[in-house]
């Protein structure tokens, strides 16, 4: 027959799984709602009539009064890259003298180009291309949600229930590349997590990191930035992860044992994967493959790139376009390299402090530096940083400012493009909103660059990385507290017998309880926490309510209806079916009467008969002979003295412990009931 403890553990496990299911379902529903909203907002750009190329005549304006701009790069790319002609990407392409891409070349790495080609199969309009592309992108968003929910629990809502997913899910091809970044972290977490049967990590650190490196290299072939994360991942393996093995040299000093071979394998795996993805395109159509790189190299930091270069550096150069482009062309790559050095240095310094290389924080820092100094900062890049908001303890203020200014930037930048294209006068709030978004993001990215390495990883990811069992999620912890609470087992009974009533003690009893103590100054001789005024009585009652393993009662004389004392169940332990009775004191008028024996009879009878307790304990000051004699009269057995058991008058007291078991209760109950009846008859 299962024990009470195993039954409780089973219920807790079921509740834990139930909360996990709630988190998954809730976050997926939010994700689906965001994707639906995003789809409908972008869909407004396309539709009949179409021109000869299948371009929607109303693209890219759509509804000019819509709150969310309908513009989508997915729809834009239909014309101009031979996607509409279903040309297989890169193989037959090149870059024209004027910088335009032709012959199926797109400006993205090869796997993104391949996904775009798949999105165009069977379609003949930009709207059809958009709809099929959205269908391809959707699973990446949903799986990303599942992984983030597993690694962060309710923090996943920063991804699933904030504006960026609505604004950018179908704006460009970001979702597959974001998925690879999150998947790499998830592989590392799963590999380090304890196995159910062995308790050991599921995969070795090297194996986990090599798989993660392969995934990041796939991401690199979708868009560049996941490739940056291979460096901190390799350094994490080099330093042996969360549990580095130290060696002691001849002088007795600790010498860190670095895993150079493991770090090298991480890098090699990324290189091989990249070559597997890139080489077929390089061999089949080198000019087309190279054209995508040349296009990015020739791209200028113009008004549509949302960078501090355009809004900050360009005005300082008095509009000299050639000088501006030359400065940006040199400064941008140099500063990106410098940011890599800074991020790695700060992460290494943190490793020297903590003993663990913060590879996820370092990855965030590298990404922040890349986004800050790159010539292009498209609005949809917010999807890149969002998973780090979920997985790292990024300050709430920074998250809020980033997301709010991101919405402002998205809602103004496309209106700015429309005003510039039409030649209409610029509206101050449009340009102001763009500047606010650009500069707020630049400042925050600089902040992330220098602080991300110090940001702690959220639970349960933090525990999974250490091969530890994660703490229970919030709702389960609350349920655990309830399950261990006295009322969960005992309820909140009202008991009555022999003209005495026991009911749960209320905060409104504070004045009456203070009067009980005030009328009996000798109480403090053996009990140091007896409240002598209403304020301290209120604190005493509050403390009793906050102790989840205690159930406090008011003792009421039915003849007068007045509170004449208090008593409690405490140290309530349902799993072992044990409890203690104490925190008892009475007014002088109640002493020597039926009140205390009747109260004890009710408490013991309820504990043993109704609740099924197996053992009841009493604790009293070893020098309190009156209390010890009263407990012994109940039929309790003296079990010994507990030295320094309770604090008392600034020091410690020795406690006398008595106990009664359910085996003793039948005999004790008969004697105690007879005594109560005699006292009632003697009134």
């Amino acid at each position: 027959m299962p024990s009470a403890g195993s039954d409780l553990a089973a219920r807790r496990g079921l509740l834990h799984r139930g909360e996990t299911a709630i988190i998954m379902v809730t976050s997926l529903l939010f994700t689906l709602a965001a994707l639906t909203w995003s789809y409908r907002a972008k869909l407004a750009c396309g539709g009949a009539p179409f021109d000869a190329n299948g371009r929607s005549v109303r693209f890219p304006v759509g509804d000019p009064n819509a709150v969310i701009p309908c513009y989508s790069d997915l729809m834009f790319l239909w014309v101009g890259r031979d996607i509409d002609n279903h040309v297989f990407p890169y193989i037959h392409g090149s870059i024209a003298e004027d910088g335009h891409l032709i012959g199926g070349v797109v400006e993205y790495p090869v796997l993104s180009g391949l996904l775009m080609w798949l999105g165009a199969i069977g379609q003949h309009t930009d709207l059809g291309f958009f709809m099929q592309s959205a269908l391809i992108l959707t699973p990446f968003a949903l799986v990303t949600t599942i992984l983030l929910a597993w690694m962060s629990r309710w923090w996943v809502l920063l991804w699933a229930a904030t504006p960026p997913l609505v604004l950018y899910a179908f704006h460009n091809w970001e979702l597959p590349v974001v998925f690879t970044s999150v998947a790499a972290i998830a592989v590392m977490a799963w590999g380090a997590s304890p196995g159910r049967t062995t308790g050991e990590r599921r995969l070795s650190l090297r194996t986990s990191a090599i798989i993660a490196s392969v995934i990041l290299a796939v991401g690199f072939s979708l868009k560049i930035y996941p490739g940056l994360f291979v460096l901190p991942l390799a350094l994490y393996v080099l330093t042996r992860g969360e549990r580095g093995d130290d060696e002691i040299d001849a002088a007795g000093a600790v010498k860190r044992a670095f895993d150079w071979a493991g770090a090298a394998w991480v890098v090699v795996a990324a290189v091989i994967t990249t070559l597997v993805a890139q080489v077929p395109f390089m061999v089949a159509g080198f000019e087309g493959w190279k054209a995508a790189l040349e296009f990015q190299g020739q791209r200028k930091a113009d008004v549509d790139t949302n960078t501090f270069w355009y809004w900050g550096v360009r005005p300082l150069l008095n509009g000299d376009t050639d000088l501006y482009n030359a400065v940006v062309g040199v400064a941008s790559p140099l500063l990106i390299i410098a940011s890599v050095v800074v991020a790695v240095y700060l992460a290494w310094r943190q490793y020297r402090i903590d003993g663990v290389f913060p590879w996820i924080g370092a990855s965030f820092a590298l990404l922040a530096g890349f986004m800050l100094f790159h010539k292009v900062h498209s609005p949809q890049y917010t999807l890149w940083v969002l998973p780090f908001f979920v997985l790292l303890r990024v300050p709430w203020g920074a998250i809020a400012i980033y997301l709010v200014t991101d919405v402002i930037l998205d809602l103004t930048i496309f209106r700015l493009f429309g005003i510039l294209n039409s030649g209409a006068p610029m509206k101050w709030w449009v340009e102001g909103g763009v500047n606010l978004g650009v500069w707020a993001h630049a400042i925050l990215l600089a902040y992330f660059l220098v602080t991300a390495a110090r940001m702690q990883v959220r639970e349960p990811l933090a525990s999974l990385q250490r091969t530890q069992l994660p703490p229970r999620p919030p709702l389960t912890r609350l349920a655990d507290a309830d399950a261990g609470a006295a009322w969960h087992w005992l309820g909140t009974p009202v008991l009555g017998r022999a003209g005495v009533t026991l009911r749960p003690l209320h905060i409104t009893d504070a004045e009456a309880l203070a009067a009980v103590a005030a009328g009996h100054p000798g109480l403090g001789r053996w009990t140091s926490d007896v409240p002598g005024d209403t304020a301290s009585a209120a604190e005493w009652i509050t403390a009793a309510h906050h102790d989840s393993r205690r159930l406090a009662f008011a003792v009421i004389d039915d003849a007068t209806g007045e509170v004449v004392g208090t008593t409690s169940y405490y140290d309530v332990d349902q799993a072992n079916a044990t409890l203690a009775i104490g925190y008892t004191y009475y007014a002088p008028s109640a002493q020597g009467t039926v009140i205390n024996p009747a109260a004890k009879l009710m408490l013991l009878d309820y504990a043993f008969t109704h609740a099924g307790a197996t053992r009841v304990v009493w604790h009293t000051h070893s020098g309190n002979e009156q209390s010890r004699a009263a407990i012994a009269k109940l039929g309790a057995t003296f079990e010994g003295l507990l030295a320094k058991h309770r604090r008392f008058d600034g020091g410690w007291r020795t406690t006398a412990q008595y106990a009664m078991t359910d085996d003793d209760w039948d005999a004790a109950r008969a004697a105690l009931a007879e005594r109560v009846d005699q006292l009632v008859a003697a009134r």
Side-chain angles (χ1 to χ4, degrees):
M1 180 177 180
S3 67
S6 64
D7 182 59
L8 185 60
R11 293 201 304 270
R12 286 173 174 170
L14 182 62
L15 182 61
H16 177 86
R17 292 192 294 274
E19 181 170 359
T20 300
I22 291 173
I23 293 171
M24 290 290 182
V25 171
T26 302
S27 58
L28 284 171
L29 287 175
F30 270 108
T31 302
L32 286 169
L35 294 175
T36 301
W37 191 356
S38 181
Y39 178 79
R40 292 176 64 87
K42 303 302 182 184
L43 195 68
C45 268
F50 301 98
D51 65 15
N53 295 317
R55 166 68 75 201
S56 299
V57 172
R58 67 170 178 257
F59 182 85
V61 178
D63 180 4
N65 299 316
V67 175
I68 299 176
C70 74
Y71 176 82
S72 169
D73 283 341
L74 270 62
M75 210 172 293
F76 169 77
L77 290 170
W78 172 253
V79 176
R81 305 291 191 275
D82 277 332
I83 292 176
D84 57 325
N85 295 319
H86 307 287
V87 175
F88 194 81
Y90 309 104
I91 305 303
H92 308 289
S94 62
I95 186 170
E97 292 184 2
D98 61 0
H100 285 86
L101 296 172
I102 55 177
V105 178
V106 294
E107 58 266 45
Y108 301 104
V110 295
L111 295 186
S112 287
L114 188 60
L115 287 176
M116 294 176 192
W117 177 75
L118 291 172
I121 291 177
Q123 301 303 320
H124 304 286
T125 65
D126 56 359
L127 184 64
F129 173 57
F130 169 79
M131 295 170 68
Q132 187 159 300
S133 297
L135 188 63
I136 293 173
L137 293 173
T138 294
F140 291 102
L142 296 176
V143 177
T144 299
T145 296
I146 292 172
L147 295 178
L148 289 175
W150 175 65
M151 292 188 288
S152 71
R153 294 184 177 135
W154 289 109
W155 291 102
V156 66
L157 295 182
L158 280 175
W159 160 264
T162 52
L165 203 57
V166 175
L167 298 175
Y168 309 123
F170 303 126
H171 183 90
N172 200 288
W173 291 83
E174 310 304 320
L175 291 176
V177 66
V178 172
F179 160 74
T180 61
S181 300
V182 174
I185 297 174
V187 165
M188 293 296 293
W190 187 84
S193 64
R196 291 184 178 181
T197 56
T198 66
E200 296 294 324
R201 57 179 299 143
R202 299 175 189 272
L203 297 174
S204 70
L205 177 60
R206 279 191 186 182
T207 302
S208 300
I210 289 171
I211 296 172
S213 181
V214 168
I215 296 172
L216 291 174
V218 171
F220 174 80
S221 295
L222 286 162
K223 290 201 174 178
I224 299 297
Y225 83 87
L228 297 171
F229 304 160
V230 173
L231 175 58
L233 178 60
L235 292 173
Y236 183 68
V237 175
L238 176 69
T239 55
R240 296 183 180 271
E242 297 285 332
R243 297 190 296 180
D245 297 324
D246 295 331
E247 295 179 350
I248 308 299
D249 63 17
V254 175
K255 180 182 178 182
R256 178 68 74 184
F258 292 122
D259 184 7
W260 291 101
W265 272 112
V266 170
V267 175
V268 169
V271 172
I272 292 175
T273 304
T274 301
L275 291 175
V276 168
Q278 303 286 335
V279 167
F281 291 91
M282 296 170 64
V283 172
F286 182 76
E287 289 300 320
W289 177 84
K290 184 178 69 171
L293 300 179
E294 292 178 353
F295 180 90
Q296 291 294 341
Q298 295 176 16
R299 192 169 182 183
K300 305 296 189 292
D302 294 329
V303 65
D304 63 342
T305 58
N306 312 312
T307 64
F308 78 94
W309 296 112
Y310 181 84
W311 295 101
V313 175
R314 188 183 63 87
L316 295 177
L317 300 178
N318 298 319
D320 188 331
T321 302
D322 292 337
L323 178 59
Y324 165 68
N325 289 328
V327 169
V328 174
V330 174
S332 175
L334 290 179
L335 287 173
I336 290 174
I337 294 172
S339 71
V340 171
V341 173
V342 170
V344 171
Y345 166 75
L346 293 174
W348 191 264
R349 188 175 68 175
Q350 197 65 31
Y351 157 69
R352 302 294 293 178
I353 296 172
D354 298 336
V356 177
F357 187 84
W359 85 273
I360 298 176
S363 297
F364 186 27
L366 289 174
L367 176 60
F370 179 78
M371 291 173 61
L372 175 61
F373 296 119
H374 195 257
K375 292 187 293 183
V376 178
H377 185 106
S378 296
Q380 70 269 15
Y381 292 178
T382 298
L383 289 179
W384 298 4
V385 303
L386 208 54
F388 290 103
F389 290 169
V390 173
L391 299 175
L392 294 173
R393 293 183 181 178
V394 182
W396 263 109
I399 294 175
I401 294 172
Y402 197 98
L403 294 181
V404 169
T405 53
D406 178 69
V407 171
I408 293 172
L409 176 60
D410 187 78
L411 299 185
T412 54
I413 188 67
F414 295 102
R415 287 174 171 80
L416 181 139
F417 295 158
I419 293 172
L420 292 177
N421 290 333
S422 67
M426 179 60 63
K427 297 179 180 179
W428 67 268
W429 62 270
V430 171
E431 187 169 354
V434 172
N435 270 276
L436 176 63
V438 167
W439 285 106
H441 283 192
I443 293 170
L444 285 172
L445 289 171
Y447 167 75
F448 297 146
L449 171 62
V450 299
T451 63
R454 300 197 304 270
M455 294 176 183
Q456 298 297 309
V457 179
R458 297 193 195 276
E459 291 289 359
L461 177 57
S463 292
L464 293 172
Q465 288 189 134
R466 296 190 296 267
T467 318
Q468 294 178 347
L469 294 175
R472 295 181 181 275
L475 295 182
T476 308
R477 286 202 299 272
L478 290 174
D480 286 349
D482 282 349
W487 63 263
H488 187 273
W489 175 28
L490 302 174
T492 53
V494 176
L495 309 174
R497 184 174 181 134
V500 180
T501 296
L502 301 183
R503 63 158 172 79
L505 187 64
H506 303 150
I507 192 69
T508 52
D509 295 321
E511 185 175 357
L513 198 62
V516 169
H520 192 355
L523 280 176
R525 180 182 178 189
W526 303 115
T527 307
S528 60
D529 60 348
V530 175
D533 55 60
T534 302
S536 57
E539 292 179 1
W540 193 90
I541 295 171
T542 300
H545 287 175
H546 287 174
D547 184 348
S548 64
R549 299 181 65 196
R550 180 176 169 190
L551 189 60
F553 294 91
V555 182
I556 299 171
D557 184 348
D558 292 346
T560 62
E562 295 179 350
V563 174
V564 294
T566 184
T567 189
S568 295
Y569 291 130
Y570 70 99
D571 285 352
V572 176
D573 182 356
Q574 180 182 5
N576 293 300
T578 66
L579 54 83
I581 294 176
Y583 292 96
T584 304
Y585 63 89
Y586 297 100
S589 61
Q591 295 186 2
T593 69
V594 72
I595 288 177
N596 184 52
K600 291 298 189 292
L601 176 60
M602 289 186 283
L603 290 173
L604 288 167
D605 198 40
Y606 186 82
F608 284 122
T609 305
H610 177 82
T614 60
R615 172 180 166 87
V616 174
V617 176
W618 288 264
H619 298 120
T620 188
H621 195 296
S622 61
N624 189 347
E625 296 297 338
Q626 181 180 355
S627 176
R628 295 181 64 173
I631 295 170
K633 276 187 180 181
L634 298 173
T637 301
F638 174 62
E639 294 188 326
L641 299 177
L642 308 177
K644 292 187 176 182
H645 182 243
R646 292 280 192 270
R647 289 191 178 276
F648 184 76
D649 282 347
W652 299 91
R653 83 174 193 189
T654 297
T655 294
Q657 178 168 299
Y658 293 77
M660 180 186 295
T661 69
D662 54 345
D663 296 329
D664 306 322
W665 174 234
D666 286 341
R669 185 184 187 282
L672 185 56
E674 181 180 356
R675 181 180 166 201
V676 168
D677 291 341
Q678 290 173 351
L679 289 170
V680 170
R683 277 182 176 175

